Amino acid sequence: MKKKEEQINNVLKKPVGIIYRWLGDRIFLSAAVILGLSIIFLSLSMAWVLYGEGSLSFGEFGFWGFLRGTTWDPGIQLIFGALPFIFGTIVTSVAALLIAFFPAMAIGIFIAEYAPRWLGNIIENLVHLIAAIPSVVIGIWGIFVFAPWMREKVYLPVFNWAAEHYPSLLPVLGNPMGYGMASAIIILALMIIPYTTALTRDAIRQVPKEQREAAWALGATRWEVIRMAVIPYARGGILAGAILSFGRAIGETMAVAMLIGNKNNFPFSIMGPAATMPSVIINEFREAVGSLHLSSLMAIGFVLFVISLIVNLLAAYITRKLSISGGQVA
Amino acid sequence: METMLKNKKIQVTGLSKENEVVNITNRENGAYPVRMETRNLNVKYGKVSAVKNISLPVYNERVTALIGPSGCGKTTFLRALNRMHDLTRNASVTGEVLLDGNNIYNPKVNPVTIRRKIGMVFQKPTPFPTMSIFNNVVAGLKLVGIRNKALLNEVCEKALTQAALFDEVKDRLNSPGGSLSGGQQQRLSIARALAIEPEVLLMDEPTSSLDPQSSSKIEDLIHELKKNYAIVIVTHNLQQAGRVSDYTGFFFLGELIEFGETEKMYTNPAHKRTEEYLTGKFG
Ligand SMILES: Nc1ncnc2c1ncn2[C@@H]1O[C@H](COP(=O)(O)OP(=O)(O)O)[C@@H](O)[C@H]1O
Ligand SMILES: [Mg+2]
């Protein structure tokens, strides 16, 4: 007994190399700090460059004037206002999220709670597969398959029906050519379902089993357990997932640009062509001749950057605010 | 009904012959009917046996304590009594668990109704953290469709009072369950289990996260509750088992070494291992 104590004491007294005691921590700390700072620096300098390049446009129209301007005419008047694209981005993303959220949540709940493991794995892999398809491929499928099908089966019938019964609706509905806001929204919804699903599933998997068991022990059925114990506990994660998916929808460029019809005339209609911030940038960059036009595109890039940043910060804030640690509400 | 329960008791007495490890001491005082009973109950996690061939009666209006060193299968046994193992993927239960003579593992029995009759309090407090204190307490009632506000209020107050929590939370019944301290959360969990007025109450080390004061309140509560319920309590606190229970089962390595009246077992254990455990030689 005595001997053992002595041994332990010896081990404790043994000098530890200075490199472990002192340098080790500092090296790790400084590496982490440098990396962290450089990421912040990189983002800030990106924003700074975008703002600098866009300053010509901001100077010409004023910052708020540029954001509120409804005319985008690079051909004749050389007037640039970003509102149509901000509007297009927000409307397509919000609508896509509204369409995607409940199905995605249902799939996430099904995978995490109901499906036997093999079936859950299959569905999960399928969902991942959708996420892995390059958006240009989805765009091509949209152009050649989805949009023509929607035109024949949905847009034209709706348009004809409205023409007969409610002609006043026609301007709101817009041109049923197949390439337009509605098609872009549906494709966007499809593209964000995997993200919302995966994040919902993760949030649900993190619910401690004690919470579930507490509900079971009260005589809850499977669905009641989910409603009573699982979803409330996971709500922060689920909501943050939805907002992150929304962020992806905002930035999604290729598939949207290929399907939305790319028309800058404001206001937009439901089925008719429209544009978003990413789509106008990618469509007009190569052809932008005037420096004011180029500067305006950069300015849109700056606005897009800021909106994305806000959305991500919001998601982080909500996760923090609604998260539950150790049974304690934060 | 009476005769049926009496019959049950005869079967229990018969059991001790089948399973010789069980040593049921003192059966003369048979005033209390058997409410629940396990017969040759086995629980396995995968291929590992955690509860081995246990037959044990749970008397109505009595407290049965399960004691034994940690890892000996007390929790596993307790969870078999309200079919909580249904939810563990790798757990399998064989043998019978009778509630008023009916096997709750009969395929025709709905485990949901079983769990409403057999309430459970877990070792860790498990309030629903986002739900208000009030809604936590009446959660089980709402599950069965009770919406009458006056009734819910009444039940809530009664259950919280029983769980010795009412005075501390009566002014903030609408704050979330997660805003309470650990000890309060455990008493909230107890109140929630009591609110549905189960027939049998299972408690798995309910006071292990409580301070001595709350613990003694819970012990008083158990004394009070046993007038109406059959209670099974797992505890590794031998003094507590001695104070609250009428019957004690000593578990060791998944087996029931000895079962009998607490007083007898504590003063005159029939088995050497029980004596060693009670006198603190191991465990
Ligand atoms: N979910 C599980 N899966 C596998 N083994 C388990 C599981 N739960 C408990 N066990 C094992 O079963 C044995 C009994 O555990 P338990 O019933 O919790 O003991 P006690 O409550 O008496 O401390 C232990 O060896 C433990 O490791
Ligand atoms: Mg235990």
Side-chain angles (χ1 to χ4, degrees):
Chain A
M1 202 64 204
K2 252 272 145 51
K3 193 134 184 243
K4 205 168 183 190
E5 244 164 59
E6 240 165 60
Q7 273 176 354
I8 292 172
N9 271 339
N10 284 345
V11 169
L12 287 179
K13 276 187 203 138
K14 198 176 160 193
V16 183
I18 192 159
I19 188 136
Y20 291 110
R21 258 190 305 139
W22 193 82
L23 267 181
D25 277 355
R26 297 233 172 178
I27 289 175
F28 180 77
L29 186 69
S30 29
V33 167
I34 289 171
L35 281 175
L37 284 180
S38 54
I39 288 170
I40 293 173
F41 175 77
L42 208 66
S43 324
L44 282 182
S45 66
M46 229 192 271
W48 178 249
V49 168
L50 283 172
Y51 186 80
E53 296 282 324
S55 61
L56 187 63
S57 183
F58 287 136
E60 178 82 18
F61 307 105
F63 185 75
W64 295 112
F66 178 73
L67 293 188
R68 279 200 306 253
T70 54
T71 311
W72 179 273
D73 184 357
I76 300 153
Q77 306 171 73
L78 293 184
I79 293 177
F80 299 97
L83 191 66
F85 311 113
I86 297 174
F87 178 85
T89 297
I90 303 283
V91 167
T92 49
S93 306
V94 169
L97 182 63
L98 287 180
I99 293 174
F101 183 67
F102 290 102
M105 200 165 124
I107 300 171
I109 290 174
F110 181 75
I111 294 175
E113 294 284 326
Y114 282 94
R117 203 167 279 180
W118 61 271
L119 184 60
N121 284 342
I122 292 178
I123 298 174
E124 215 166 312
N125 284 323
L126 284 178
V127 169
H128 285 167
L129 203 67
I130 300 183
I133 301 173
S135 69
V136 67
V137 174
I138 292 184
I140 287 184
W141 175 78
I143 287 179
F144 289 108
V145 181
F146 178 72
W149 187 88
M150 286 296 281
R151 175 175 57 217
E152 296 308 320
K153 302 287 183 218
V154 181
Y155 300 148
L156 273 176
V158 169
F159 190 83
N160 291 336
W161 174 85
E164 229 173 85
H165 298 94
Y166 300 97
S168 57
L169 273 183
L170 289 183
V172 181
L173 284 173
N175 183 347
M177 66 190 215
Y179 307 101
M181 190 119 91
S183 294
I185 287 171
I186 296 170
I187 290 289
L188 256 185
L190 261 181
M191 292 176 74
I192 61 174
I193 279 180
Y195 293 97
T196 323
T197 301
L199 293 163
T200 303
R201 180 210 55 199
D202 289 349
I204 286 177
R205 290 230 167 119
Q206 274 168 22
V207 176
K209 90 178 191 313
E210 287 85 3
Q211 283 286 316
R212 290 193 175 83
E213 288 181 345
W216 287 116
L218 286 175
T221 61
R222 197 161 248 242
W223 167 242
E224 285 163 345
V225 171
I226 293 172
R227 211 190 52 205
M228 179 182 229
V230 176
I231 292 178
Y233 202 98
R235 64 184 186 181
I238 294 175
L239 211 59
I243 294 174
L244 287 176
S245 308
F246 179 67
R248 282 201 69 89
I250 286 177
E252 175 51 44
T253 309
M254 216 46 226
V256 171
M258 289 164 85
L259 275 166
I260 202 164
N262 301 305
K263 189 160 167 249
N264 307 339
N265 286 7
F266 199 61
F268 301 138
S269 55
I270 296 174
M271 302 187 299
T276 64
M277 292 191 270
S279 79
V280 72
I281 293 175
I282 196 158
N283 276 316
E284 299 192 0
F285 228 104
R286 277 151 302 152
E287 296 131 40
V289 273
S291 53
L292 189 60
H293 189 187
L294 205 58
S295 168
S296 300
L297 289 173
M298 288 291 200
I300 286 187
F302 176 73
V303 175
L304 186 57
F305 182 94
V306 171
I307 292 179
S308 304
L309 196 68
I310 292 173
V311 166
N312 278 285
L313 289 178
L314 194 68
Y317 174 76
I318 286 181
T319 319
R320 161 100 61 91
K321 182 95 187 165
L322 294 184
S323 79
I324 296 154
S325 53
Q328 217 86 12
V329 178
Chain B
M1 191 67 191
E2 270 298 290
T3 49
M4 207 178 90
L5 290 170
K6 286 229 175 76
N7 285 341
K8 286 280 103 49
K9 201 149 70 246
I10 291 160
Q11 284 168 354
V12 176
T13 330
L15 269 178
S16 52
K17 276 180 218 141
E18 271 172 52
N19 186 355
E20 283 180 341
V21 206
V22 182
N23 185 352
I24 301 186
T25 44
N26 183 29
R27 287 329 230 20
E28 305 92 279
N29 160 8
Y32 298 97
V34 173
R35 196 70 212 251
M36 279 190 93
E37 181 188 339
T38 68
R39 289 184 182 173
N40 304 92
L41 187 71
N42 285 278
V43 184
K44 286 185 180 165
Y45 294 110
K47 290 206 173 75
V48 185
S49 212
V51 160
K52 296 167 194 162
N53 211 37
I54 291 185
S55 303
L56 174 145
V58 175
Y59 295 101
N60 203 24
E61 300 174 29
R62 299 281 87 181
V63 177
T64 305
L66 307 179
I67 59 171
S70 85
C72 66
K74 305 181 297 292
T75 298
T76 304
F77 176 80
L78 196 73
R79 289 164 61 91
L81 298 184
N82 67 344
R83 292 191 60 168
M84 288 304 275
H85 288 305
D86 290 14
L87 315 165
T88 318
R89 270 180 211 264
N90 64 342
S92 62
V93 179
T94 53
E96 290 185 333
V97 177
L98 307 182
L99 172 65
D100 297 330
N102 303 312
N103 185 8
I104 64 170
Y105 282 91
N106 186 324
K108 285 191 205 120
V109 171
N110 181 355
V112 168
T113 53
I114 287 301
R115 295 192 197 107
R116 281 183 191 145
K117 288 186 186 175
I118 307 176
M120 188 167 214
V121 175
F122 299 86
Q123 186 169 359
K124 271 200 226 159
T126 51
F128 302 123
T130 60
M131 228 183 241
S132 70
I133 293 172
F134 177 83
N135 281 328
N136 258 288
V137 177
V138 301
L141 296 177
K142 285 194 167 171
L143 282 181
V144 290
I146 297 173
R147 290 281 181 277
N148 181 338
K149 190 78 185 162
L151 180 64
L152 292 180
N153 279 333
E154 190 188 316
V155 173
C156 176
E157 178 172 344
K158 186 175 159 213
L160 283 172
T161 309
Q162 281 181 317
L165 185 60
F166 186 68
D167 289 335
E168 285 161 64
V169 300
K170 62 178 178 226
D171 299 322
R172 48 176 178 140
L173 290 175
N174 288 321
S175 32
S179 66
L180 297 175
S181 76
Q184 291 173 324
Q185 288 191 3
Q186 183 65 328
R187 281 176 281 152
L188 179 60
S189 309
I190 293 173
R192 189 179 57 189
L194 295 177
I196 50 176
E197 304 205 332
E199 296 169 14
V200 179
L201 191 60
L202 311 176
M203 305 174 113
D204 191 358
E205 303 194 24
T207 60
S208 64
S209 64
L210 298 185
D211 56 285
Q213 235 174 345
S214 319
S215 297
S216 79
K217 281 182 187 166
I218 298 302
E219 287 179 18
D220 294 345
L221 164 69
I222 292 171
H223 268 294
E224 196 55 36
L225 287 176
K226 82 175 183 191
K227 290 174 190 157
N228 304 311
Y229 297 89
I231 297 176
V232 184
I233 178 172
V234 170
T235 175
H236 58 216
N237 180 338
L238 292 176
Q239 284 79 26
Q240 182 174 65
R243 280 192 301 266
V244 301
S245 72
D246 305 288
Y247 292 89
T248 299
F250 171 57
F251 281 57
F252 186 69
L253 297 177
E255 293 181 50
L256 181 63
I257 302 294
E258 185 170 345
F259 176 84
E261 288 195 352
T262 304
E263 236 179 87
K264 290 232 161 149
M265 190 189 283
Y266 272 54
T267 50
N268 186 18
H271 207 284
K272 188 147 181 305
R273 277 241 191 72
T274 318
E275 187 181 338
E276 285 171 356
Y277 182 69
L278 289 173
T279 52
K281 290 220 174 74
F282 73 95

